[in-house]
Amino acid sequence: MRRITTKKRKTTIFPTKLTQLETRLKKRFTNNHDLSYTIYQLENKRIAVFYITYLIDTNKLEASLLQPLLEKKETLSLTSASLLNHIPLSSGKIENQIDHIFRGMLLGDVFIYIEDEAEAISYPLKKDEKRDLSKPETESVVLGPQIAFTESLATNMNLTRKAILSNDLVLEKIMIGKRFPKEVRIAYISSIANQEDINTLRQRLKDLEVDSVEDSSVLIQLIEDHSLSIFPQFYETELPDRFTYSICKGRIGVLVDNSPTGIVAPTSLFSFFESTEDLYMRWNIGSFFRMLRFLAMLISVFLTPFYVAVVTYHYEIIPTPLLISLGQSRANVPFPPIFEAILLELLIELLREAGARLPTKVGQTMGIVGGVVVGTAAVQAGLTSNILIIFVTLSALASFTVPSYLMGTTIRILRFPMILLAGLLGIIGIMLGACFIIIHLLKLTSLGRPYLTPIYPFNWQDLNKTFFRLPHHMDSKRFISSRLKDLYRFNKEKVKKKKDIDE
């Protein structure tokens, strides 16, 4: 059988003449009118400097590269190696593949080529366009650091490194995107994180076959376990302290260039109800607010459907005084409870969406005034009862207590199918909907880990860290369910031995 061999495509054009190199560059960047290609004559040597103008920091280019280049006197020994040692920039490197040069120019590199040499020299002088550090917008906190991530990957890595001063912190670099590559960093503590989770996440990122990744939210949808599920499986945060705290607990973080949020994986359902403020408050107060969020989730999902089911099918379970008041409230309402509830829920969602899209001050006014005016008008017009407005308002307020915006949105959307089931089948419909949600959650995974950990599979030692916030001196163990390399944060016995200064 005849063996067919394929030759590797030759991507180098060096050594070459400067005119040939210029022709090759202008052909490649035909539609780019900002290509700068300048030829300098240094005694008996001709040198070309080329780059994309708007991507380059001109101050660095003039002071750190062009000035030392033009002041070089040893023209007889002018080579790529000697020039690399002469220019006072430590980031220079040799490049001889033309495809890599094309890509480097788009990333903000400046290239120097000496005529008839076998390689060119590249220097990253990209102009950094970034905004200053500011307060978080979607995850507002009262206690703790008031800093949010920015769109600059370098700034986000700096914030991460500043919070975790350890040699074990790894910021692994991966380029994603075949046509429009973007830099992504995997952050983890090598001495703590589960190696299987690291390998799984790294493999999923490397296996992506996409043109580009616009944002960390898009990346999550590409690599999560169940992309068709309404429940988020990775946590997305704009808080550096939450990001670093999760990494110290043994989880893995992901930072995407040009994205102001970080990704944390693997996560469980209960992780979305934790807040960094729980750490900064006293343990009993933090535990109370955490349990309050779990209660708020149940209220938000089931309160309005329960009202619809009771008013439609189960009048007998309503106390007589409340039943009289309810009958008087609904006397002038021509619609059935299911239509009435869905109408009000849609109205709440419209007000919330309008308030989010308007400027901050106008949006807050729109949400408050719109809710009061429209709600009052709806009752007076006989479109709905005032008791249902109370239930719908409580459900909406309960959904806003969730720290995660994605999980809060999921809870609000779940109310609509639950209302439909309650209107069709009553309390039996609510139970069917609840069973379907539980079965769906049991099937979900996050980076291959069960989504309902530590409830399923059950682990009683992790329950106290999930639903309560233990005192810091008692929280010596990390999550056992995560199967980390190092389970202990500190020696619990040594912490108990407190000594005064005179002992």
Side-chain angles (χ1 to χ4, degrees):
M1 185 175 179
R2 189 174 182 180
R3 180 178 296 177
I4 300 176
T5 58
T6 58
K7 294 183 179 180
K8 187 177 180 181
R9 184 183 176 186
K10 186 177 181 181
T11 59
T12 182
I13 62 170
F14 303 112
T16 185
K17 297 295 182 181
L18 296 188
T19 53
Q20 296 175 352
L21 177 60
E22 182 179 8
T23 302
R24 190 75 177 262
L25 290 172
K26 288 183 177 180
K27 183 178 179 181
R28 177 63 176 81
F29 297 100
T30 305
N31 299 321
N32 197 324
H33 305 288
D34 297 286
L35 172 65
S36 175
Y37 189 89
T38 308
I39 298 176
Y40 298 95
Q41 183 73 38
L42 295 182
E43 296 295 336
N44 60 340
K45 290 283 187 177
R46 298 176 71 211
I47 301 176
V49 179
F50 49 96
Y51 52 88
I52 306 296
T53 55
Y54 59 84
L55 296 176
I56 302 302
D57 189 332
T58 54
N59 294 328
K60 290 182 180 179
L61 176 66
E62 295 288 343
S64 302
L65 195 148
L66 292 181
Q67 185 175 350
L69 173 65
L70 299 178
E71 290 178 352
K72 184 171 175 58
K73 302 299 182 182
E74 302 85 5
T75 57
L76 294 177
S77 60
L78 186 60
T79 61
S80 298
S82 64
L83 194 61
L84 191 64
N85 295 327
H86 175 74
I87 295 178
L89 289 173
S90 59
S91 54
K93 63 179 182 180
I94 298 296
E95 189 62 72
N96 60 5
Q97 303 295 317
I98 191 65
D99 292 341
H100 295 173
I101 291 177
F102 291 156
R103 177 171 293 184
M105 293 177 66
L106 295 176
L107 294 175
D109 291 355
V110 176
F111 287 88
I112 301 176
Y113 178 65
I114 305 173
E115 193 169 34
D116 294 327
E117 285 286 314
E119 64 273 327
I121 307 173
S122 69
Y123 291 96
L125 298 179
K126 183 179 180 180
K127 182 192 300 183
D128 289 328
E129 301 289 353
K130 59 183 180 181
R131 60 183 173 94
D132 296 332
L133 296 176
S134 60
K135 290 186 177 181
E137 295 292 336
T138 60
E139 295 179 84
S140 300
V141 292
V142 179
L143 301 177
Q146 303 290 319
I147 298 178
F149 281 134
T150 69
E151 288 77 10
S152 171
L153 180 60
T155 301
N156 296 342
M157 290 194 298
N158 187 18
L159 292 172
T160 304
R161 179 67 69 179
K162 183 178 180 181
I164 306 178
L165 298 176
S166 172
N167 293 329
D168 291 339
L169 175 62
V170 179
L171 294 170
E172 185 177 334
K173 178 180 177 180
I174 295 179
M175 298 300 295
I176 296 179
K178 300 298 182 182
R179 181 165 296 178
F180 314 111
K182 182 169 288 189
E183 184 177 347
V184 174
R185 295 283 183 146
I186 303 177
Y188 57 91
I189 306 295
S190 59
S191 58
I192 299 177
N194 185 296
Q195 190 62 43
E196 182 180 349
D197 293 341
I198 298 172
N199 296 337
T200 301
L201 182 58
R202 183 192 297 121
Q203 191 63 40
R204 289 186 186 182
L205 292 174
K206 290 185 176 180
D207 287 346
L208 285 179
E209 295 287 341
V210 292
D211 280 350
S212 65
V213 175
E214 292 78 7
D215 187 77
S216 57
S217 302
V218 179
L219 181 61
I220 288 177
Q221 298 175 53
L222 292 172
I223 64 174
E224 63 186 355
D225 299 36
H226 308 272
S227 58
L228 298 180
S229 174
I230 193 175
F231 287 91
Q233 291 125 56
F234 291 169
Y235 197 97
E236 190 174 1
T237 179
E238 62 174 346
L239 298 176
D241 59 329
R242 167 134 199 171
F243 184 79
T244 54
Y245 169 71
S246 300
I247 292 175
C248 292
K249 288 173 62 177
R251 291 174 180 157
I252 309 169
V254 178
L255 295 173
V256 181
D257 191 19
N258 201 35
S259 176
T261 55
I263 303 171
V264 176
T267 56
S268 67
L269 172 69
F270 310 106
S271 302
F272 293 90
F273 298 90
E274 299 176 4
S275 173
T276 53
E277 288 183 320
D278 297 345
L279 297 175
Y280 307 131
M281 294 180 180
R282 299 188 64 82
W283 69 272
N284 38 22
I285 300 176
S287 298
F288 170 76
F289 283 116
R290 185 176 296 182
M291 289 187 291
L292 182 64
R293 295 187 201 107
F294 289 117
L295 178 62
M297 175 191 66
L298 298 176
I299 291 175
S300 181
V301 174
F302 295 107
L303 184 60
T304 305
F306 182 75
Y307 168 86
V308 173
V310 169
V311 173
T312 306
Y313 297 102
H314 311 286
Y315 278 104
E316 65 276 4
I317 67 174
I318 305 176
T320 302
L322 180 59
L323 184 60
I324 296 174
S325 176
L326 184 61
Q328 294 174 349
S329 175
R330 287 192 44 80
N332 298 323
V333 179
F335 306 114
I338 181 174
F339 180 82
E340 183 186 3
I342 291 179
L343 178 65
L344 277 182
E345 290 289 354
L346 287 175
L347 177 62
I348 291 292
E349 291 302 316
L350 285 174
L351 290 172
R352 185 193 65 82
E353 189 67 16
R357 297 294 172 261
L358 291 172
T360 305
K361 294 182 179 179
V362 180
Q364 293 175 353
T365 306
M366 176 69 183
I368 298 172
V369 176
V372 173
V373 172
V374 176
T376 304
V379 173
Q380 292 178 352
L383 297 177
T384 183
S385 63
N386 48 15
I387 294 181
L388 179 59
I389 288 181
I390 297 175
F391 282 99
V392 171
T393 304
L394 286 175
S395 299
L397 290 176
S399 66
F400 293 135
T401 61
V402 182
S404 170
Y405 175 79
L406 293 177
M407 182 57 71
T409 305
T410 299
I411 290 174
R412 290 195 296 271
I413 293 176
L414 281 177
R415 283 204 298 267
F416 289 96
M418 294 298 295
I419 291 173
L420 290 175
L421 288 172
L424 296 175
L425 300 173
I427 292 181
I428 296 177
I430 295 177
M431 297 304 298
L432 287 176
C435 292
F436 178 82
I437 293 174
I438 293 174
I439 293 172
H440 178 68
L441 292 174
L442 288 172
K443 294 173 62 178
L444 288 183
T445 57
S446 174
L447 212 63
R449 302 293 179 185
Y451 195 59
L452 286 184
T453 303
I455 299 297
Y456 173 79
F458 183 75
N459 190 317
W460 65 271
Q461 298 185 66
D462 290 341
L463 285 178
N464 53 5
K465 303 181 186 65
T466 302
F467 298 100
F468 308 98
R469 208 278 284 169
L470 294 178
H472 289 295
H473 67 276
M474 297 177 62
D475 192 15
S476 60
K477 266 189 178 182
R478 299 183 179 91
F479 277 88
I480 298 177
S481 305
S482 301
R483 300 177 183 178
L484 306 175
K485 297 176 182 177
D486 186 1
L487 285 176
Y488 291 91
R489 298 174 59 238
F490 54 84
N491 191 320
K492 191 174 181 179
E493 299 300 326
K494 290 184 178 180
V495 172
K496 292 181 179 179
K497 299 177 181 179
K498 298 180 180 179
K499 293 184 178 180
D500 295 331
I501 193 170
D502 56 346
E503 293 186 10

